[in-house]
Amino acid sequence: MVRFISFIVLFLLCVASSSPTKVVDVETICKKAKNYSFCITLLKSKAGGAGGDLVSLASYTIGVARTDVSKTINLIKTLIAKSGGNPKALSHYKNCLDHFGMDEGALGEIVEAQQLLKKGDYGGVNAHASGILTDVDGCLSGDSPTDPPFHDTSSLPKYAAIVEQVSQIILIITNFLLH
Ligand SMILES: *[C@@H]1O[C@H](CO)[C@@H](O)[C@H](O)[C@H]1NC(C)=O
């Protein structure tokens, strides 16, 4: 009888500790991504394997986004330093720095998303991930709907595309967490 009760207790403990974690395999997540192989490569680069629950995958992916945004900010700063003689380029890159930066830019969104994930506010994380997409678009297409976008021949569009893809993966993971 004592054995039986301890078995029941153990069973209940297992149920209690496992129910909040949601596990979806990486292939299922990446089928929804724009670029399947990019997504698989990213999620499988997670230390300890691609397995694990959605929250740890979200946390990992937000960390990757943070690194990619920081790299992009460094690139933009270099481009600003180089475009002294070109007012159009200068204003384009300064606009991009605002859109990627900490104050109301992509980096700020990511910092918020990291805090909200810890609180379990997946809707908030989702909103900030789409905020990053808006920021990236604001950099690439510029703020004026009438002016044509700056023809950027630097590596910035490539960097921005990576930030975009990583943010879309955050959206996919948080959508699984929400539904
Ligand atoms: C998808 O991502 C891979 C990198 O993982 C890249 O080599 C490939 O060009 C990308 N494909 C498209 C269509 O963007």
Side-chain angles (χ1 to χ4, degrees):
M1 188 62 188
V2 171
R3 250 195 184 176
F4 180 70
I5 288 173
S6 53
F7 171 77
I8 293 288
V9 167
L10 193 67
F11 175 76
L12 289 176
L13 277 177
C14 287
V15 169
S17 62
S18 67
S19 59
T21 50
K22 248 183 160 178
V23 180
V24 172
D25 63 43
V26 171
E27 286 76 14
T28 308
I29 294 170
C30 290
K31 266 181 206 151
K32 294 180 182 279
K34 208 169 163 186
N35 182 335
Y36 181 81
S37 72
F38 178 90
C39 175
I40 288 284
T41 308
L42 175 91
L43 294 182
K44 293 206 165 166
S45 67
K46 180 173 169 284
D53 59 298
L54 285 172
V55 174
S56 66
L57 279 178
S59 167
Y60 174 73
T61 310
I62 295 170
V64 171
R66 187 169 182 157
T67 307
D68 289 337
V69 166
S70 300
K71 281 186 198 159
T72 308
I73 290 174
N74 288 339
L75 173 70
I76 297 170
K77 285 180 177 163
T78 312
L79 292 168
I80 288 176
K82 280 187 193 161
S83 43
N86 185 343
K88 272 199 172 153
L90 193 61
S91 100
H92 169 67
Y93 293 130
K94 281 188 167 167
N95 177 53
C96 282
L97 190 59
D98 288 344
H99 282 288
F100 274 92
M102 188 66 190
D103 303 324
E104 296 177 43
L107 189 58
E109 302 281 2
I110 288 170
V111 170
E112 291 273 341
Q114 281 177 321
Q115 287 163 356
L116 293 173
L117 185 72
K118 285 190 192 128
K119 291 183 190 158
D121 179 356
Y122 308 130
V125 176
N126 194 276
H128 285 289
S130 47
I132 299 169
L133 293 175
T134 311
D135 291 329
V136 173
D137 187 56
C139 157
L140 295 177
S141 13
D143 277 336
S144 164
T146 50
D147 291 351
F150 177 74
H151 181 61
D152 194 343
T153 54
S154 76
S155 328
L156 179 55
K158 253 190 210 157
Y159 278 50
I162 290 174
V163 171
E164 228 166 24
Q165 293 206 56
V166 176
S167 306
Q168 270 157 354
I169 297 169
I170 300 171
L171 282 178
I172 297 166
I173 297 173
T174 46
N175 278 332
F176 273 112
L177 279 165
L178 288 166
H179 303 294

